Amino acid sequence: MCGIVACFSREDCYGKLLAALRRLEYRGYDSAGIALLSAAGLSVRKRAGGVGNLAGPPLPGETGIGHTRWATHGAPTDVNAHPHVCGKFAVVHNGIVENFAQLKAELIAKGETFRSETDSEVIAHLVARAYEGDFFAAVAAACGQLRGSYAVAVLCTDRPGEIVCARSGSPLVAGCAGGALYVCSDVPALGEDACFCAAQDGEFIRIEGGVIRFCGRDGREIPKTFTRASGGGCAEASAAGSFMEREIGEIPAALSRTLEGLRDFDFAPCARAMRGAKNIFAVACGSALHAALAFKDAAEEEAGAPVLCFSASEFRSRAPLAGRGDLVVAVSQSGETADTLGAVRLARSRGAYVLAVTNVAHSSLAGEADLAVFMRAGPEVAVAATKSYNCQLLCLYYIAAQLCYYRKDRFPSYFGELFRLPEAARAAFSAFSAAEEIARAFRDAPAMYFIGRGKEARTAAEGALKVKEIAYLFAEGLPAGELKHGPLALVEEGFPVVALSTSRALLAKMAGALAEVKARGARVALLSQYEEALADPAVDFPVRLPALCERLMPVLSVIPLQHLACRLCLLRGFDPDRPRNLAKSVTVE
């Protein structure tokens, strides 16, 4: 969730650190800081708020570290911002030190004084106490005392030009770009035309003598191959709008890239697992969980393959279910979602076969899985998922079709329609003007419902999540049939209800639900491709969707909801790209 950057550059190291931190802003954060090491010692600048608050005269030095913090332990203040300094050392940290309270108590008992409320500051004190002249050995000794997850970068005033970094459970990549050497949380921080290599858990990275080296805890070098980043840098937001608006507009092109990758993807390595799986599980978090539930629907109805779908955090916390002979489908845009990675590691330790869906080829999830399908959605900067969600759905519908092929010796009827999705997604943009009208009507509502039946219950949940994430308006997504089992109690005059009705067999059922809420004064918006549904007298705001086979309609019906959430956000005066309290890549539990 936090972003870390370490940089060695003989020219404008401070400027390069600042630029790298800006490229990591998409991860979500609430404070930022930089430390530079020069012959005069350490210089630190850190502030609550955005990276822009670090502007000012460049700090001197050719070696530095930077950080964007998402608060966990301690409020987002200047003091709690990273880097943390103790004696000769400055540290930035991404992750959570689970045993920090014990370590802090022990350090205080030994006479250490702490300035911040963070768990991360204990790392600086541990390194300082372990130091006996060997910089690397001190960092390794400190990391050996940590429980939890971490990616750290450390400076030492005795060692100008040197940076020691370590990874355990939090992502870390090393690379070179623009004449500088970097270690950072993610490839986009490197900028354009970068070469990079990702660290594995338990590995250390050293920048020394103008060279990047990977090594183990014993200091022995680990050979690595660097890869040129493909579009690694993040685009700049245009003057015409936010990243989120731009990324919604990129959905058709992203779907085309996803299809191109899927056409060439070889599913043969997982054929046996698909054909003979005793049990099939799907695990994910947030928007990816809604996509996983859509996969469950398709796999069960088209392939006759029952799927147990879990929030990854819940999958981890209950008695282990997956084991040898089972198939686990794990979904994560970033491939670094801590709970999803934990679920995958648990499943693999018990012998399950893991098929991953992720947008990042070098991610931890891709490395942990037996086989990984890459979405190819392109960089997504806005915290709230848009194009990545549509691409997840496409990948998962494609995987469900493969299940059908391997288990029933045929592809499902919707398979050919998958290749129409980019064109149909572009047609769905015609619903944006109606979505904007709904946003204006509902902007001051205290709460709203999103309802759907069958497969669109998943879309309803995703639409509600988008509104909560960026418009800060309470929204609940639920199956329409659940209204009378409690939620109907909140519906009163003017209460907003957004409904999805894309299944002809369920039109009458949805009409009944709309009549229920309308009788209690609700204002109703309905998204459908069917004229008879849109003509329902209970509907105040009809939103026409392009026609496509019903199975794939969730890929289209969510697009106007994404736009609705974005417009609500802007009308209510908020930034759709950086919602409060949230991060793009949730790398802590």
Side-chain angles (χ1 to χ4, degrees):
M1 295 169 80
C2 305
I4 70 172
V5 179
C7 178
F8 173 76
S9 176
R10 300 193 186 281
E11 295 183 3
D12 191 22
C13 187
Y14 186 79
K16 289 176 179 177
L17 281 166
L18 204 59
L21 290 180
R22 288 196 178 103
R23 291 190 290 266
L24 283 175
E25 286 186 300
Y26 73 93
R27 295 172 72 89
Y29 70 105
D30 42 45
S31 62
I34 287 176
L36 266 290
L37 178 58
S38 69
L42 283 168
S43 302
V44 178
R45 184 178 293 159
K46 56 182 186 175
R47 301 282 188 273
V51 171
N53 292 343
L54 301 178
L59 300 179
E62 299 179 345
T63 312
I65 54 178
H67 191 267
T68 54
R69 176 177 185 254
W70 190 86
T72 53
H73 297 79
T77 64
D78 291 357
V79 171
N80 287 333
H82 298 214
H84 293 293
V85 176
C86 181
K88 299 179 177 183
F89 300 92
V91 173
V92 292
H93 166 234
N94 175 21
I96 288 185
V97 181
E98 294 176 356
N99 60 333
F100 94 97
Q102 174 193 339
L103 292 171
K104 186 173 182 178
E106 292 171 356
L107 288 164
I108 290 172
K110 294 175 181 177
E112 297 289 324
T113 301
F114 285 78
R115 297 179 178 87
S116 77
E117 304 167 85
T118 68
D119 59 331
S120 304
E121 191 182 351
V122 302
I123 302 173
H125 287 265
L126 289 172
V127 175
R129 292 191 70 87
Y131 184 60
E132 296 179 348
D134 188 328
F135 180 20
F136 175 81
V139 176
C143 290
Q145 297 180 67
L146 305 178
R147 292 202 309 269
S149 62
Y150 59 82
V152 298
V154 188
L155 299 179
C156 175
T157 57
D158 286 347
R159 304 289 297 182
E162 185 172 351
I163 310 170
V164 177
C165 309
R167 171 196 170 152
S168 179
S170 292
L172 203 61
V173 299
C176 52
L181 304 181
Y182 294 93
V183 180
C184 50
S185 295
D186 204 354
V187 173
L190 300 172
E192 300 294 339
D193 300 321
C195 289
F196 75 94
C197 180
Q200 302 301 310
D201 272 357
E203 291 183 346
F204 291 74
I205 304 173
R206 302 178 72 172
I207 294 178
E208 185 180 13
V211 175
I212 297 172
R213 294 191 297 119
F214 287 74
C215 58
R217 188 178 297 276
D218 58 4
R220 292 183 182 177
E221 189 166 350
I222 300 172
K224 292 283 184 175
T225 300
F226 283 69
T227 303
R228 183 161 294 281
S230 175
C234 291
E236 298 294 330
S238 68
S242 62
F243 281 116
M244 184 173 183
E245 291 169 286
R246 171 181 288 192
E247 287 157 7
I248 292 171
E250 291 173 355
I251 289 171
L255 290 170
S256 293
R257 289 193 300 272
T258 301
L259 279 169
E260 182 183 345
L262 289 170
R263 281 193 189 100
D264 298 331
F265 192 82
D266 183 9
F267 282 91
C270 68
R272 182 175 179 180
M274 285 188 169
R275 185 179 292 116
K278 294 187 295 184
N279 300 289
I280 301 174
F281 298 86
V283 294
C285 301
S287 290
L289 179 60
H290 300 149
L293 287 163
F295 165 73
K296 169 184 170 71
D297 295 338
E300 290 181 344
E301 294 175 25
E302 304 289 348
V307 177
L308 296 167
C309 190
F310 288 93
S311 163
S313 58
E314 291 299 308
F315 181 87
R316 297 179 63 192
S317 63
R318 56 188 294 152
L321 295 176
R324 191 168 302 280
D326 294 335
L327 171 65
V328 175
V329 178
V331 191
S332 166
Q333 185 279 139
S334 67
E336 302 295 348
T337 308
D339 283 315
T340 305
L341 285 169
V344 164
R345 289 164 183 154
L346 174 62
R348 288 204 72 199
S349 72
R350 294 178 56 81
Y353 186 98
V354 174
L355 175 62
V357 176
T358 182
N359 197 32
V360 184
H362 60 271
S363 64
S364 298
L365 180 60
E368 295 276 357
D370 293 285
L371 187 66
V373 176
F374 302 117
M375 291 153 45
R376 303 181 68 180
E380 187 175 65
V381 178
V383 168
T386 52
K387 64 177 180 177
S388 65
Y389 179 75
N390 301 77
C391 293
Q392 281 173 352
L393 285 174
L394 172 50
C395 287
L396 290 166
Y397 284 139
Y398 203 97
I399 291 170
Q402 297 295 322
L403 267 174
C404 187
Y405 173 77
Y406 285 117
R407 296 170 82 94
K408 292 193 169 184
D409 203 29
R410 62 171 177 79
F411 284 109
S413 58
Y414 71 76
F415 188 69
E417 294 281 283
L418 287 168
F419 300 92
R420 288 188 53 211
L421 276 172
E423 171 193 351
R426 192 171 301 281
F429 292 172
S430 64
F432 284 2
S433 59
E436 289 172 11
E437 182 184 359
I438 297 166
R440 288 190 294 271
F442 293 170
R443 62 174 291 180
D444 296 320
M448 60 195 302
Y449 283 155
F450 287 76
I451 59 172
R453 283 188 178 269
K455 58 191 174 299
E456 292 293 13
R458 318 312 189 185
T459 313
E462 177 62 14
L465 178 61
K466 286 289 151 289
V467 168
K468 284 182 281 194
E469 283 178 318
I470 62 171
Y472 313 142
L473 190 161
F474 178 78
E476 184 174 3
L478 63 155
E482 285 297 301
L483 281 167
K484 62 179 70 68
H485 297 287
L488 199 58
L490 296 184
V491 179
E492 56 187 0
E493 194 66 34
F495 191 92
V497 175
V498 178
L500 301 113
S501 186
T502 64
S503 171
R504 184 174 291 281
L506 296 173
L507 292 185
K509 294 286 189 184
M510 180 56 78
L514 299 184
E516 287 176 353
V517 297
K518 194 65 177 178
R520 289 153 179 85
R523 300 184 76 188
V524 177
L526 178 72
L527 286 72
S528 180
Q529 75 276 40
Y530 293 119
E531 183 61 38
E532 57 265 48
L534 297 170
D536 190 318
V539 176
D540 301 293
F541 304 97
V543 183
R544 183 178 302 282
L545 298 172
L548 192 71
C549 74
E550 291 184 353
R551 168 59 58 201
L552 303 181
M553 284 302 293
V555 183
L556 307 184
S557 60
V558 75
I559 297 174
L561 299 187
Q562 293 166 339
H563 187 72
L564 168 62
C566 190
R567 297 313 301 172
L568 274 171
C569 171
L570 292 168
L571 287 170
R572 290 163 65 86
F574 303 118
D575 180 355
D577 293 336
R578 300 190 186 103
R580 65 191 183 206
N581 303 332
L582 300 179
K584 183 69 176 174
S585 181
V586 185
T587 58
V588 297
E589 298 172 15

